[in-house]
Amino acid sequence: MLERHGSSIGQPLTRRDGPDKVTGAARYAADVHPEGLLHAVMAVSTIARGRVAHLDLAAAQAHPGVVAVMTPENAPRLARSPDEKEGPVSFRLDLLQNDGVRYASQPIAVVIAETLEAATEGALLLNPRYEAETPSVVLGAGERFTPQMVGAGLPAAMGSGDLEAGLAAAEARIEATYDTAAQYHNALEPHASVAEWDGDRLTLHTPTQGLYPAKARLAALFGLPPENIRIHSPYLGGGFGSKGFLSSPQILGVMAAKLVGRPVKLVTRREQMFGPVGHRASTRQTLRLGAKRDGVLTGYGHHTLTLTSTYDDFFEPASVLSRHLYACPAIATNHEASRADIPTPLFMRAPGEAPGSVALESALDELALELGIDPLELRLRNYAEVEPLSGRPFSSKALRECYAQGAERFGWASRPLEPRQMRDADGLLVGWGLGTATYPAGMFQGEARATIRADGTALVETAAQDMGQGPWTVLAQIAADGLGLPLDRLDLRIGDSDMPNGGLAGGSTATATTGTAVHNAAQGAVAALAALATNDPASPLYGAGNAGVTAAEGRLSRRDDPSRSETFSEILARAGRDSVEAKGQGAGEPASRKAYAMHAHGAVYAEVKVDPDLGQIRVTRLVGAFAAGRVVNPRLVRSQYYGGMIWGVSLALHEHATLDARSGRVMNNNLAEYHVPVNADIPSVEAILVEEHDPHVNPLGIKGVGEIGITGTAGAIANAVWHATGVRVREIPITLDRLLG
Amino acid sequence: MNRFDYVRAGSVAEAIAAGAEPGAAYLAAGTNLVDLMKGGIARPERIVDITRLPDLDRIERLPDGATRIGALVRNSDLAHDPDFARSYPAVAEALLAGASAQLRNAATAAGNVLQRTRCQYFYDVASACNKRAPGSGCEAIGGVTRAHAVLGWSAHCIATNPSDFAVPLAALDAVVEIEGSAGRREVALEAFHRLPGDAPERETALEAGELVVALRLPPEAAGFAAHARYLKVRERTSYAFALVSAAVALRMEGSRIAEARIALGGVALKPWRCREAEAALADREATPEAFRATAEAALAGAEPSGDNAFKIELARRIVVRGLTLARAGTPERVPALPASPFAGAHHA
Amino acid sequence: MSIPITLTVNGIPRTVALEDPRVTLLDLLRERLDLTGSKKGCDRGQCGACTVLLDGRRVNACLALAVSHDGAHVTTIEGLARDGELHPVQAAFIAHDGFQCGFCTPGQIVSAVGLIQEGQAGDDPERIREGMSGNLCRCGAYAGITEAVATAHAAMAGASGLPGGYLREDAA
């Protein structure tokens, strides 16, 4: 039943969670204070490889207020080794089961105390001694190998045609290597746990992008049935992938609570966020492009070299987007990696696509320069009408409209082809650049329950997670339409693992997946209500059949005679029921997912200004035009695009974890020197929502919008810096010293 | 953070007596000290809270035309004091280019001048650092050195001083007023911060227990008000430490420079006053060629201490730009983006 | 040794016996007074999530030792709305979607109230951006934040006749 009855979807509603968030009433994990709470603080390693030889337990324990020190000696034994993977997309954890150290900032002990101050000082007093080995942390230093798979189970190598022949047939060629830096998610909310055990039952407040996987992992580690574990995660203070899976610090908080038999709060310190909670690995990407004089590609190769840890596998899939984006008869995409004494990298907003896009879009502009063709024209000449490698049609693709609407708004047509042609009134160099944005329109699996109650209200529950993308609002909009109820009669509850599985808030899938589940649950509840009415001779709807009624404003009406209707309350009252409920599933439909390539697309135009002498860069204007299927809430979707685009600014110009190659430590492990953009870095950002109807992606026609904004943007900025200065910088982030000449 | 005794001083004499005890540290806003204590870099046994000391939160114009800035005057109050900003616009601009509004609202004038280096190896207690642990070595050398010194560094320390405020103060011949058990003394700001030499742990001219009570700008400092700028190059538009900065102040007579003052930030362990370069510019026409020659002179003797050779050329260019902007004249109001290349001044 | 201090928090005098002088104003609010609206993002004055008004001025509560501020007036995010009515800055943040995850939001809003009271930025977007740059937003809601501050500034100027009239009574 595809029909929608209401008009909530598509409205630019303000956030339903807004009042709680602007008044400080929204409780994040670390804001929870059960009676008898103790505070826990981790000690982390300062070496990157070796073992902990000694901890000064006596000094820590002697500190007033310290209750216990959890080390490998006394840490609760686990039912399952934290090195045992629960599946291919599951990561090894550091849970004090041995004294080994495999990266800098690895947890090596936890100090539990009556106060935060005592726990903090206790952790410092442990003063560890190590048996250290020489670490290797530099990209390209270790032995190279080809991974089994990259990202979340994608082939490391894919291609079509003969790249070498394609390049040989080209009339213009470029080969260029781009480096991208290691990045740390740095959600503003540090990973936190407030854990409370009651016998073998656990209540845990912790931010997670996946309540069900988190529950499953804890169940496995502690040898408990999943129903013994309840996780609350109503609000995440940002996730960006780093809260996709429970991290070691979050689980150490649970172990600490078990050790001391009291509720424990463990909050990761900011500097400890540069280690055990994931990061994006550095990459070195080589792009080889060949084209005819008219700009039509004859071959293109995208090779990625990346790093992973010594003890686990995650490979930044930076070459993958080249499989989906531009038409070309000969494409080769592949990945190699080497191991290093670093923490295992992880999914980070647009994993693969983000660094891949900046390299690919830079390379295209280098080719455009070689050919003397406008960068937009070059992209249009290689527009993919079908997905290049698979040959499948796109379920929908309004990229041409994105290019056109963005170009119009930005004023691209007046861009000079040559670099260093534009200055502003103050003499600053001005440059314009373009990048294509793309991100897969994936779906995971989710479930929701809708209950229509006798008082004419409805309850919708799903263990979805709010990390700012807006589920409190958009799921309510979807539910309201599905139920035919005004929003103010809808009680939406999310963020509790006792609710039906709400899927993952990750991979730009949440609204598509959970929204579909909510839609189906709502429709199911309405169908159950309709069955009560249409089978009841006393109802004005009697005999209409389910398909013969529609729900709106809390009433069911006959489709053929809207004057014959009754309220939800009337139907339930006559049936003597408190409520009707239904569950709904959300998942991709296998046949259409096989038949169609499903991606969101966009075009991002950037203006930068560069001081001609001092090299300092500012992104003065960003215009993105994106097509991602149905827009549930334009206000919130626009914010997602802005956020992604600002991450693009950050990728292009700012974020860079600087490792000391000798120690393996991140030296700028703080927010003063690990730069993310501040407000003054973002003078102007615009997002155009390009209309796109997708009949295949899911019943609601929704594609994800959380990650696509980074892609395109970073490349657009790199290209704009070149256009401003004439200097092509291939080390990302672009820093001013490269522009001093 | 270690446990400590907390003493609230009611008078300067009381503060000095308490501050002279071994392991004591003065606390004003705490924006630097508390940060260092949280990182385990500073572990004072006794905190002497000087925030209630009387009369140290005043900005006074003295009869001779000098201006005395009480040690406890908040950075933002000083920057937004209309008389002060009019007389010392480069100082106001430097203050507003530093840190964030929240930090400027808390941090004091003396605390700003006394803030310690942001060298990441000083902050990383697992690294050897002669400043934090004398004799342990300097692990910054050979490490991540992009932000480190290019002037005045030694084999024992390559850190830089992070203060913006201190840079125009150095250029304007500010004086540090100090109280100690032996009474009051004064030290020129230029001599207040020490270069590392072989004792980088000795950071300033302060002796144990001594307290900075005021900073003083001499009468002639206001004579540069019409042509004074601070310029700061950093890696984001705001809320970042300087890679390199410059305070430039000129006293113009027609198109000729009567007197020039130039100091650099981000290049050394102290605000770097460029006296020889200033002298070469005195009584000369303000031409681009003269500015370029001045910049060369200002960086004479500069050497990279690691992967930071670019800072030498960057500093030269900032000197040229600073001179150009100062010659053009002080803006009516501190720009929306203080000290930024994007502040909107014409330099085409 | 216990040190008694009294703070006026959101207009209410609160006396606390500090058993430990290490307690920061932020940890006092969050862990001892159950005012968890102020957030800890970095604990080192580098993110702005803990911004409160201390004697009427916006500061980072994480770097202020509570013991040093005996007698001070503190306004936190919980103290802005009056009788259930949102402060104009809070309302403007909702209207302009000046947040996503909401974690930095209390600090952003208190910082914006402080900025407007300081009277230095007015409705100049560039001055607002600069003035709000001590508050990181990792979700990237800066555009909405800047609009919200400009809107609230206009609303407050209209309401009180002078920018920043609101909350003056909280300043010591």
Side-chain angles (χ1 to χ4, degrees), chain A residues 569-591:
Chain A
S569 301
E570 287 165 347
I571 296 167
L572 287 168
R574 199 171 47 249
R577 299 277 295 269
D578 292 336
S579 62
V580 288
E581 73 166 53
K583 276 194 167 183
Q585 311 291 323
E589 206 269 297

PDB file of all heavy atoms in Angstrom, chain A residues 569-591:
ATOM      1  N   SER A 569     -10.793   6.679  17.705  1.00  0.00           N
ATOM      2  CA  SER A 569     -11.300   6.391  19.051  1.00  0.00           C
ATOM      3  C   SER A 569     -12.634   5.674  18.981  1.00  0.00           C
ATOM      4  O   SER A 569     -12.886   4.730  19.737  1.00  0.00           O
ATOM      5  CB  SER A 569     -11.486   7.694  19.834  1.00  0.00           C
ATOM      6  OG  SER A 569     -10.285   8.366  19.922  1.00  0.00           O
ATOM      7  N   GLU A 570     -13.493   6.141  18.090  1.00  0.00           N
ATOM      8  CA  GLU A 570     -14.816   5.514  17.972  1.00  0.00           C
ATOM      9  C   GLU A 570     -14.688   4.047  17.575  1.00  0.00           C
ATOM     10  O   GLU A 570     -15.373   3.178  18.114  1.00  0.00           O
ATOM     11  CB  GLU A 570     -15.661   6.278  16.943  1.00  0.00           C
ATOM     12  CG  GLU A 570     -16.142   7.627  17.463  1.00  0.00           C
ATOM     13  CD  GLU A 570     -16.663   8.568  16.358  1.00  0.00           C
ATOM     14  OE1 GLU A 570     -16.430   8.286  15.151  1.00  0.00           O
ATOM     15  OE2 GLU A 570     -17.280   9.565  16.712  1.00  0.00           O
ATOM     16  N   ILE A 571     -13.815   3.784  16.654  1.00  0.00           N
ATOM     17  CA  ILE A 571     -13.655   2.405  16.177  1.00  0.00           C
ATOM     18  C   ILE A 571     -13.164   1.514  17.313  1.00  0.00           C
ATOM     19  O   ILE A 571     -13.704   0.437  17.564  1.00  0.00           O
ATOM     20  CB  ILE A 571     -12.669   2.366  14.987  1.00  0.00           C
ATOM     21  CG1 ILE A 571     -13.231   3.148  13.810  1.00  0.00           C
ATOM     22  CG2 ILE A 571     -12.350   0.916  14.590  1.00  0.00           C
ATOM     23  CD1 ILE A 571     -12.223   3.447  12.712  1.00  0.00           C
ATOM     24  N   LEU A 572     -12.148   1.992  18.039  1.00  0.00           N
ATOM     25  CA  LEU A 572     -11.581   1.183  19.121  1.00  0.00           C
ATOM     26  C   LEU A 572     -12.577   1.032  20.262  1.00  0.00           C
ATOM     27  O   LEU A 572     -12.692  -0.037  20.866  1.00  0.00           O
ATOM     28  CB  LEU A 572     -10.275   1.806  19.618  1.00  0.00           C
ATOM     29  CG  LEU A 572      -9.101   1.645  18.654  1.00  0.00           C
ATOM     30  CD1 LEU A 572      -7.927   2.525  19.073  1.00  0.00           C
ATOM     31  CD2 LEU A 572      -8.655   0.184  18.572  1.00  0.00           C
ATOM     32  N   ALA A 573     -13.305   2.090  20.553  1.00  0.00           N
ATOM     33  CA  ALA A 573     -14.259   2.031  21.664  1.00  0.00           C
ATOM     34  C   ALA A 573     -15.334   0.984  21.368  1.00  0.00           C
ATOM     35  O   ALA A 573     -15.670   0.156  22.221  1.00  0.00           O
ATOM     36  CB  ALA A 573     -14.893   3.402  21.880  1.00  0.00           C
ATOM     37  N   ARG A 574     -15.842   1.025  20.139  1.00  0.00           N
ATOM     38  CA  ARG A 574     -16.913   0.085  19.827  1.00  0.00           C
ATOM     39  C   ARG A 574     -16.389  -1.341  19.840  1.00  0.00           C
ATOM     40  O   ARG A 574     -17.082  -2.280  20.222  1.00  0.00           O
ATOM     41  CB  ARG A 574     -17.540   0.424  18.486  1.00  0.00           C
ATOM     42  CG  ARG A 574     -18.933  -0.203  18.339  1.00  0.00           C
ATOM     43  CD  ARG A 574     -19.660   0.284  17.117  1.00  0.00           C
ATOM     44  NE  ARG A 574     -18.829   0.255  15.952  1.00  0.00           N
ATOM     45  CZ  ARG A 574     -18.374   1.330  15.305  1.00  0.00           C
ATOM     46  NH1 ARG A 574     -18.693   2.536  15.704  1.00  0.00           N
ATOM     47  NH2 ARG A 574     -17.594   1.199  14.260  1.00  0.00           N
ATOM     48  N   ALA A 575     -15.141  -1.505  19.425  1.00  0.00           N
ATOM     49  CA  ALA A 575     -14.567  -2.850  19.411  1.00  0.00           C
ATOM     50  C   ALA A 575     -14.138  -3.293  20.813  1.00  0.00           C
ATOM     51  O   ALA A 575     -13.712  -4.437  20.993  1.00  0.00           O
ATOM     52  CB  ALA A 575     -13.378  -2.885  18.459  1.00  0.00           C
ATOM     53  N   GLY A 576     -14.211  -2.369  21.770  1.00  0.00           N
ATOM     54  CA  GLY A 576     -13.796  -2.718  23.123  1.00  0.00           C
ATOM     55  C   GLY A 576     -12.303  -2.945  23.236  1.00  0.00           C
ATOM     56  O   GLY A 576     -11.829  -3.723  24.053  1.00  0.00           O
ATOM     57  N   ARG A 577     -11.551  -2.249  22.395  1.00  0.00           N
ATOM     58  CA  ARG A 577     -10.098  -2.435  22.389  1.00  0.00           C
ATOM     59  C   ARG A 577      -9.400  -1.203  22.950  1.00  0.00           C
ATOM     60  O   ARG A 577      -9.813  -0.076  22.716  1.00  0.00           O
ATOM     61  CB  ARG A 577      -9.612  -2.645  20.936  1.00  0.00           C
ATOM     62  CG  ARG A 577     -10.183  -3.866  20.243  1.00  0.00           C
ATOM     63  CD  ARG A 577      -9.392  -5.116  20.612  1.00  0.00           C
ATOM     64  NE  ARG A 577      -8.025  -5.039  20.119  1.00  0.00           N
ATOM     65  CZ  ARG A 577      -7.637  -5.506  18.919  1.00  0.00           C
ATOM     66  NH1 ARG A 577      -8.513  -6.070  18.106  1.00  0.00           N
ATOM     67  NH2 ARG A 577      -6.380  -5.417  18.552  1.00  0.00           N
ATOM     68  N   ASP A 578      -8.311  -1.429  23.686  1.00  0.00           N
ATOM     69  CA  ASP A 578      -7.473  -0.325  24.134  1.00  0.00           C
ATOM     70  C   ASP A 578      -6.646   0.240  22.980  1.00  0.00           C
ATOM     71  O   ASP A 578      -6.300   1.417  22.960  1.00  0.00           O
ATOM     72  CB  ASP A 578      -6.482  -0.800  25.203  1.00  0.00           C
ATOM     73  CG  ASP A 578      -7.180  -1.167  26.486  1.00  0.00           C
ATOM     74  OD1 ASP A 578      -8.296  -0.645  26.707  1.00  0.00           O
ATOM     75  OD2 ASP A 578      -6.641  -1.998  27.239  1.00  0.00           O
ATOM     76  N   SER A 579      -6.310  -0.673  22.080  1.00  0.00           N
ATOM     77  CA  SER A 579      -5.379  -0.247  21.028  1.00  0.00           C
ATOM     78  C   SER A 579      -5.328  -1.307  19.926  1.00  0.00           C
ATOM     79  O   SER A 579      -5.795  -2.434  20.123  1.00  0.00           O
ATOM     80  CB  SER A 579      -3.975  -0.085  21.614  1.00  0.00           C
ATOM     81  OG  SER A 579      -3.521  -1.322  22.121  1.00  0.00           O
ATOM     82  N   VAL A 580      -4.786  -0.893  18.816  1.00  0.00           N
ATOM     83  CA  VAL A 580      -4.336  -1.868  17.818  1.00  0.00           C
ATOM     84  C   VAL A 580      -2.876  -1.559  17.535  1.00  0.00           C
ATOM     85  O   VAL A 580      -2.456  -0.398  17.610  1.00  0.00           O
ATOM     86  CB  VAL A 580      -5.122  -1.803  16.492  1.00  0.00           C
ATOM     87  CG1 VAL A 580      -6.531  -2.350  16.675  1.00  0.00           C
ATOM     88  CG2 VAL A 580      -5.146  -0.391  15.935  1.00  0.00           C
ATOM     89  N   GLU A 581      -2.116  -2.568  17.232  1.00  0.00           N
ATOM     90  CA  GLU A 581      -0.718  -2.299  16.921  1.00  0.00           C
ATOM     91  C   GLU A 581      -0.254  -3.153  15.762  1.00  0.00           C
ATOM     92  O   GLU A 581      -0.867  -4.179  15.425  1.00  0.00           O
ATOM     93  CB  GLU A 581       0.174  -2.529  18.143  1.00  0.00           C
ATOM     94  CG  GLU A 581       0.382  -3.980  18.520  1.00  0.00           C
ATOM     95  CD  GLU A 581       1.539  -4.146  19.514  1.00  0.00           C
ATOM     96  OE1 GLU A 581       1.515  -3.455  20.543  1.00  0.00           O
ATOM     97  OE2 GLU A 581       2.440  -4.955  19.242  1.00  0.00           O
ATOM     98  N   ALA A 582       0.820  -2.694  15.156  1.00  0.00           N
ATOM     99  CA  ALA A 582       1.416  -3.458  14.063  1.00  0.00           C
ATOM    100  C   ALA A 582       2.899  -3.171  14.035  1.00  0.00           C
ATOM    101  O   ALA A 582       3.357  -2.110  14.474  1.00  0.00           O
ATOM    102  CB  ALA A 582       0.781  -3.069  12.736  1.00  0.00           C
ATOM    103  N   LYS A 583       3.639  -4.144  13.537  1.00  0.00           N
ATOM    104  CA  LYS A 583       5.063  -3.938  13.322  1.00  0.00           C
ATOM    105  C   LYS A 583       5.312  -3.740  11.828  1.00  0.00           C
ATOM    106  O   LYS A 583       4.561  -4.260  10.988  1.00  0.00           O
ATOM    107  CB  LYS A 583       5.844  -5.152  13.807  1.00  0.00           C
ATOM    108  CG  LYS A 583       6.137  -5.100  15.310  1.00  0.00           C
ATOM    109  CD  LYS A 583       7.188  -6.128  15.672  1.00  0.00           C
ATOM    110  CE  LYS A 583       7.721  -5.876  17.073  1.00  0.00           C
ATOM    111  NZ  LYS A 583       8.798  -6.820  17.406  1.00  0.00           N
ATOM    112  N   GLY A 584       6.342  -3.013  11.527  1.00  0.00           N
ATOM    113  CA  GLY A 584       6.704  -2.824  10.129  1.00  0.00           C
ATOM    114  C   GLY A 584       8.195  -3.025   9.954  1.00  0.00           C
ATOM    115  O   GLY A 584       8.978  -2.747  10.864  1.00  0.00           O
ATOM    116  N   GLN A 585       8.574  -3.521   8.805  1.00  0.00           N
ATOM    117  CA  GLN A 585       9.988  -3.745   8.501  1.00  0.00           C
ATOM    118  C   GLN A 585      10.472  -2.689   7.502  1.00  0.00           C
ATOM    119  O   GLN A 585       9.695  -2.224   6.676  1.00  0.00           O
ATOM    120  CB  GLN A 585      10.192  -5.131   7.848  1.00  0.00           C
ATOM    121  CG  GLN A 585       9.536  -6.281   8.576  1.00  0.00           C
ATOM    122  CD  GLN A 585      10.220  -6.577   9.913  1.00  0.00           C
ATOM    123  OE1 GLN A 585      11.438  -6.468  10.012  1.00  0.00           O
ATOM    124  NE2 GLN A 585       9.423  -6.909  10.916  1.00  0.00           N
ATOM    125  N   GLY A 586      11.732  -2.398   7.586  1.00  0.00           N
ATOM    126  CA  GLY A 586      12.343  -1.540   6.581  1.00  0.00           C
ATOM    127  C   GLY A 586      13.614  -2.186   6.087  1.00  0.00           C
ATOM    128  O   GLY A 586      14.496  -2.508   6.890  1.00  0.00           O
ATOM    129  N   ALA A 587      13.693  -2.421   4.807  1.00  0.00           N
ATOM    130  CA  ALA A 587      14.894  -3.019   4.215  1.00  0.00           C
ATOM    131  C   ALA A 587      14.828  -2.800   2.724  1.00  0.00           C
ATOM    132  O   ALA A 587      13.752  -2.549   2.167  1.00  0.00           O
ATOM    133  CB  ALA A 587      14.975  -4.515   4.526  1.00  0.00           C
ATOM    134  N   GLY A 588      15.966  -2.886   2.097  1.00  0.00           N
ATOM    135  CA  GLY A 588      15.989  -2.751   0.648  1.00  0.00           C
ATOM    136  C   GLY A 588      15.264  -3.924   0.004  1.00  0.00           C
ATOM    137  O   GLY A 588      15.283  -5.038   0.528  1.00  0.00           O
ATOM    138  N   GLU A 589      14.645  -3.669  -1.096  1.00  0.00           N
ATOM    139  CA  GLU A 589      13.930  -4.725  -1.810  1.00  0.00           C
ATOM    140  C   GLU A 589      14.934  -5.390  -2.754  1.00  0.00           C
ATOM    141  O   GLU A 589      15.489  -4.725  -3.643  1.00  0.00           O
ATOM    142  CB  GLU A 589      12.753  -4.105  -2.568  1.00  0.00           C
ATOM    143  CG  GLU A 589      11.609  -5.044  -2.829  1.00  0.00           C
ATOM    144  CD  GLU A 589      11.791  -5.747  -4.158  1.00  0.00           C
ATOM    145  OE1 GLU A 589      11.809  -5.064  -5.188  1.00  0.00           O
ATOM    146  OE2 GLU A 589      11.940  -6.993  -4.134  1.00  0.00           O
ATOM    147  N   PRO A 590      15.232  -6.684  -2.543  1.00  0.00           N
ATOM    148  CA  PRO A 590      16.365  -7.297  -3.247  1.00  0.00           C
ATOM    149  C   PRO A 590      16.286  -7.209  -4.770  1.00  0.00           C
ATOM    150  O   PRO A 590      17.285  -6.912  -5.420  1.00  0.00           O
ATOM    151  CB  PRO A 590      16.332  -8.755  -2.771  1.00  0.00           C
ATOM    152  CG  PRO A 590      15.566  -8.733  -1.484  1.00  0.00           C
ATOM    153  CD  PRO A 590      14.592  -7.603  -1.587  1.00  0.00           C
ATOM    154  N   ALA A 591      15.101  -7.425  -5.315  1.00  0.00           N
ATOM    155  CA  ALA A 591      15.020  -7.455  -6.788  1.00  0.00           C
ATOM    156  C   ALA A 591      15.353  -6.087  -7.370  1.00  0.00           C
ATOM    157  O   ALA A 591      16.133  -5.969  -8.329  1.00  0.00           O
ATOM    158  CB  ALA A 591      13.622  -7.900  -7.216  1.00  0.00           C
TER     159      ALA A 591
END
